[in-house]
Amino acid sequence: MRNTPLWILALMFSGMFFLVDVGKAQEDWEALFFESNQAYADRDFEAAIRGYRQLIRSGYAYGQIYYNLGNAYLRTDALGRAIWAYERARVVMPRDADLNYNLAHVRDQTVDAIPETRGLADTAFFWLDHVTLTEVFRGFAVLNLFFWTVLLIRLFKRTEWLYYMLILLIPLWGIAAGSFGVKWHQLKNDDRAIIVAKSANVLAGPQPSDTVLFKLHEGAMVTVERSENGWRLIQLSDEKRGWVKRKTLQ
């Protein structure tokens, strides 16, 4: 290596250090995940919560971590935060049976019965509740590749079965493209929030002296319209909306 340029040596050693750092980071998060799980098993739920939240803050926002966090919150009777964590987990593991059971169980314990409002697109693409954005994208990518392959072959070989194949693929391609667009929009514009305080007064304006319109309790899901000076304007329906303190929501 006597005649090797210095810049090549620098790249080689920097690459080695990078691999060491990546390996150490992997070991660190796995160790913290194990410690958090052990704290949960030992019924030290507050320590488990701290560990899971530290993992999430560090960028390890995996569905299983959110699910475990929700279980730990549930054990401390923090129903609102448990629902928040379970809803986060459902984004990446929507068909997990244990997760859906626990989420339904916690929702049954909430005080406020708030009907879920769904838009036309959400109703039309109802299956999107059971798939992730990655799964929708992969399905659309495969169908897109198949569609353009058949179309290209059709330009050079005009057989009847290719014609009917295109007739079938065109609406399927449109549904797949629409599904991906709707799913992306759902995640990008998800403005839902959970009441995490035991109770929250909903006021007519963003001031403590404003009139109390109604009260919500822990676990209620609302839609956030906008923020102002530590307050959030929330909406339950077209006729029912008001202001709550920011710290009561997550």
Side-chain angles (χ1 to χ4, degrees), residues 18-37:
F18 173 76
L19 291 176
V20 170
D21 289 342
V22 170
K24 187 177 184 303
Q26 180 75 10
E27 292 177 359
D28 288 346
W29 94 259
E30 289 178 350
L32 181 56
F33 185 58
F34 176 81
E35 292 172 3
S36 302
N37 289 343

Side-chain angles (χ1 to χ4, degrees), residues 32 36 46-60 65-66 69 73 81 84-85 250:
L32 181 56
S36 302
E46 294 295 342
I49 289 171
R50 289 194 298 270
Y52 294 136
R53 290 188 66 90
Q54 182 178 340
L55 285 168
I56 293 170
R57 287 194 300 269
S58 299
Y60 301 102
I65 294 177
Y66 274 115
L69 177 61
Y73 276 136
R81 288 185 167 84
W84 170 83
Q250 188 161 347

Side-chain angles (χ1 to χ4, degrees), residues 2 4 11 24 33 35 37 41 46 52-53 57 65 72 85 93 118 129-130 147 155 162 169 188 194 199 211 217:
R2 186 170 13 180
T4 304
L11 285 176
K24 187 177 184 303
F33 185 58
E35 292 172 3
N37 289 343
E46 294 295 342
Y52 294 136
R53 290 188 66 90
R57 287 194 300 269
I65 294 177
M93 40 191 288
R118 298 178 64 87
D129 291 337
H130 308 287
F147 170 77
L155 294 177
L162 283 173
L169 284 175
K188 185 69 174 178
I194 306 294
S199 64
T211 304
H217 301 84

Side-chain angles (χ1 to χ4, degrees), residues 173-234:
W173 184 90
I175 292 173
S179 298
F180 177 69
V182 171
K183 187 68 176 181
W184 182 87
H185 183 270
Q186 286 176 342
L187 296 177
K188 185 69 174 178
N189 299 279
D190 190 355
D191 50 7
R192 296 174 300 162
I194 306 294
I195 299 294
V196 294
K198 292 301 180 182
S199 64
N201 290 329
V202 183
L203 309 182
Q207 296 293 336
S209 58
D210 285 317
T211 304
V212 176
L213 301 177
F214 54 93
K215 180 178 290 190
L216 291 174
H217 301 84
E218 185 178 18
M221 182 178 291
V222 299
T223 300
V224 177
E225 292 189 19
R226 70 174 189 269
S227 305
E228 184 177 318
N229 297 328
W231 292 77
R232 298 288 188 269
L233 177 61
I234 64 169

